[in-house]
Amino acid sequence: MEVIFVDNGLIGKGEHSYSLIKLVGERLTLCGVRYRAFGMKSIDPMIVAEIGALPHFSRSLYQSESPTPNERRLLTLFALARGRAFDATIPSERTSARVLNAAYEQDLAALPPDIWSSEKLIVAPAVSQNQIVGLVRTLRAKPIGERLRVVCQLMFAPNWTPWGRTGKLGQRLYRKAFSLAGPMIGKTLFFTTENEAIAGLYRDQYGIETSILPVPFGDTEPAAPCSGRPAFGFFGYSKCDKGFHLLPQAIEICRAHGLDANFTIQIQHGGWEPATVATERALRQIPGVRLVEGILSHEEYTVETGKIDAMLLPYDPVLFGLRGSGIFTQSVSAGRPVIASAGTFAGASIASGKAEGEIFSPQDSVALAAAIMRLRSRLADSHARAAKLARAFAHRHSAEAYVDALLAHGAR
């Protein structure tokens, strides 16, 4: 058997896709299973050299389309009728879904013919409303005797969009895709989710049963017991759906209350989100905040997170939703407490006792600051609790667990 990853989110080392395919690919090799990975045409050449990924896809998981001229006219009139200005920077959800699903379908059809074989297991590590219809149409176009085994990870909630706004068309597009997939589901097309929370969402809304395919992070160093002045950290992409914009005010509130703690913040963004740019500027003006800039390798990330005592995960419960997080996975696996928004997977994991830390609501700077101060007051006890949960959690979210679950589909 050969595993084929088709991933139009595989672009650079800062994306989730790189870490996933690197870790899982290494494990597949140890198991004697061959694999290939097809990423974006614009993929970082260093990734091609390191893991052998092949440039292929023309449009990214994270791209969007601007409104058409007709849409612009209609939206302008609609905005005027409501006494508002039309914002031309907001992508068109309808055009994005139409154009990007078609591009994804064309790119899948252009893959090397030899991958369309019953000896292959095709894995789509992530799709959104802009890919799922294109995927299903591609599979339906195959003669019944040639339909191979495909694992599709439903990473996002149906209303997720790559431009950070709640979608309105996702429900209809996913329902259409599941209807078209029909008899393939559970026979040659297997839907998976990374946690029970998202599995429940698709089961309740669409009647789709998914198996769990936990996203691994990799080997982690156990978190050291807190000694001296503790440090709270924020790592990963700097953007609003991850609550990056909440940090300056939350830190200032903690400082105003005399909190004895340091803060380490990773700065990593492309400058496209005005609120993120303003947040970075504000953070640079706060004395004593340590900034870690740019993309970190796995080794660099491990070193930097080893210097903090608790991880901040102030993710937006609507925009980020219930999907998992590699940063959350690494933190819990290391035995490091986390602070998470209510309504997210991390928050639900704390509430159910699978992770240790503090939950806050609403998702604002005041509530985040209060959670930081609560955790600071019991940090030693929290570390001890987190350490007890680490081993079992790490095992469930390892590359070994991912490969075992994946190959189980290949044996069907």
Side-chain angles (χ1 to χ4, degrees):
M1 181 173 57
E2 183 180 16
V3 176
I4 309 292
F5 294 98
V6 291
D7 192 349
N8 68 334
L10 181 57
I11 308 168
K13 289 193 173 185
E15 279 79 28
H16 148 89
S17 298
Y18 162 72
S19 174
L20 171 69
I21 293 176
K22 183 177 186 293
L23 292 169
V24 173
E26 289 171 352
R27 181 60 186 174
L28 287 169
T29 300
L30 286 174
C31 293
V33 178
R34 291 178 298 134
Y35 78 96
R36 276 181 282 174
F38 295 88
M40 280 292 294
K41 286 181 178 178
S42 57
I43 188 172
D44 184 339
M46 293 180 65
I47 295 179
V48 176
E50 182 180 359
I51 64 176
L54 301 169
H56 179 78
F57 287 93
S58 61
R59 303 300 300 271
S60 163
L61 177 69
Y62 306 107
Q63 284 182 291
S64 60
E65 287 288 315
S66 299
T68 64
N70 283 339
E71 284 179 314
R72 289 173 66 94
R73 283 192 288 271
L74 289 172
L75 290 169
T76 300
L77 291 173
F78 184 70
L80 288 173
R82 300 182 67 182
R84 299 178 181 175
F86 169 58
D87 187 350
T89 65
I90 299 175
S92 165
E93 186 178 2
R94 187 177 304 278
T95 302
S96 295
R98 175 176 56 81
V99 172
L100 298 178
N101 269 293
Y104 192 65
E105 184 176 358
Q106 292 169 2
D107 287 339
L108 290 175
L111 286 165
D114 71 291
I115 77 162
W116 304 109
S117 159
S118 59
E119 297 176 354
K120 316 294 185 185
L121 176 65
I122 293 183
V123 181
V127 297
S128 74
Q129 65 182 35
N130 296 328
Q131 289 81 37
I132 190 165
V133 175
L135 172 65
V136 173
R137 282 177 175 163
T138 299
L139 299 180
R140 278 174 56 90
K142 301 292 178 185
I144 292 178
E146 294 182 12
R147 287 179 184 168
L148 60 166
R149 293 159 297 177
V150 177
V151 174
C152 176
Q153 180 88 323
L154 301 173
M155 177 174 288
F156 308 106
N159 62 357
W160 181 85
T161 67
W163 52 88
R165 288 175 174 263
T166 301
K168 297 179 181 179
L169 301 181
Q171 293 283 352
R172 178 172 63 81
L173 289 165
Y174 276 84
R175 197 170 299 283
K176 176 181 179 180
F178 293 143
S179 177
L180 288 172
M184 292 189 291
I185 298 176
K187 296 179 181 177
T188 57
L189 175 57
F190 306 99
F191 288 112
T192 59
T193 51
E194 59 182 303
N195 61 57
E196 290 290 351
I198 296 185
L201 186 154
Y202 281 96
R203 182 170 54 247
D204 296 344
Q205 293 189 15
Y206 303 101
I208 295 293
E209 293 293 339
T210 66
S211 56
I212 301 300
L213 192 59
V215 175
F217 186 87
D219 294 335
T220 58
E221 292 292 329
C226 182
S227 61
R229 191 178 192 189
F232 293 82
F234 177 98
F235 285 80
Y237 271 121
S238 313
K239 54 183 180 178
C240 289
D241 72 355
K242 290 195 171 184
F244 181 70
H245 62 296
L246 304 180
L247 297 176
Q249 186 183 356
I251 293 171
E252 295 285 19
I253 292 171
C254 290
R255 294 277 172 81
H257 282 78
L259 184 74
D260 183 30
N262 296 323
F263 292 88
T264 298
I265 312 296
Q266 183 180 4
I267 303 293
Q268 181 193 346
H269 63 90
W272 61 271
E273 196 174 42
T276 294
V277 175
T279 298
E280 178 185 345
R281 190 162 52 245
L283 286 169
R284 292 187 182 281
Q285 296 173 358
I286 302 176
V289 173
R290 180 171 172 266
L291 301 181
V292 179
E293 304 195 41
I295 296 172
L296 300 175
S297 68
H298 179 78
E299 293 74 20
E300 291 168 336
Y301 179 90
T302 300
V303 170
E304 290 295 344
T305 55
K307 299 174 184 177
I308 68 168
D309 300 288
M311 185 68 76
L312 304 177
L313 304 171
Y315 299 170
D316 189 309
V318 175
L319 297 178
F320 193 87
L322 294 170
R323 70 183 192 266
S325 157
I327 294 169
F328 167 71
T329 299
Q330 188 265 359
S331 297
V332 181
S333 298
R336 183 172 293 110
V338 298
I339 294 175
S341 314
T344 62
F345 176 61
S349 297
I350 296 171
S352 65
K354 295 178 181 177
E356 164 58 22
E358 287 286 338
I359 309 167
F360 70 95
S361 180
Q363 194 229 5
D364 61 25
S365 298
V366 174
L368 172 59
I372 293 171
M373 290 185 281
R374 288 197 303 271
L375 185 61
R376 173 64 183 93
S377 69
R378 62 177 192 89
L379 194 54
D381 176 66
S382 184
H383 260 269
R385 291 172 181 269
K388 292 179 181 178
L389 299 171
R391 183 183 295 273
F393 188 93
H395 177 73
R396 293 194 301 270
H397 294 81
S398 64
E400 291 88 342
Y402 186 100
V403 168
D404 287 347
L406 196 64
L407 296 183
H409 290 292
R412 294 189 183 187

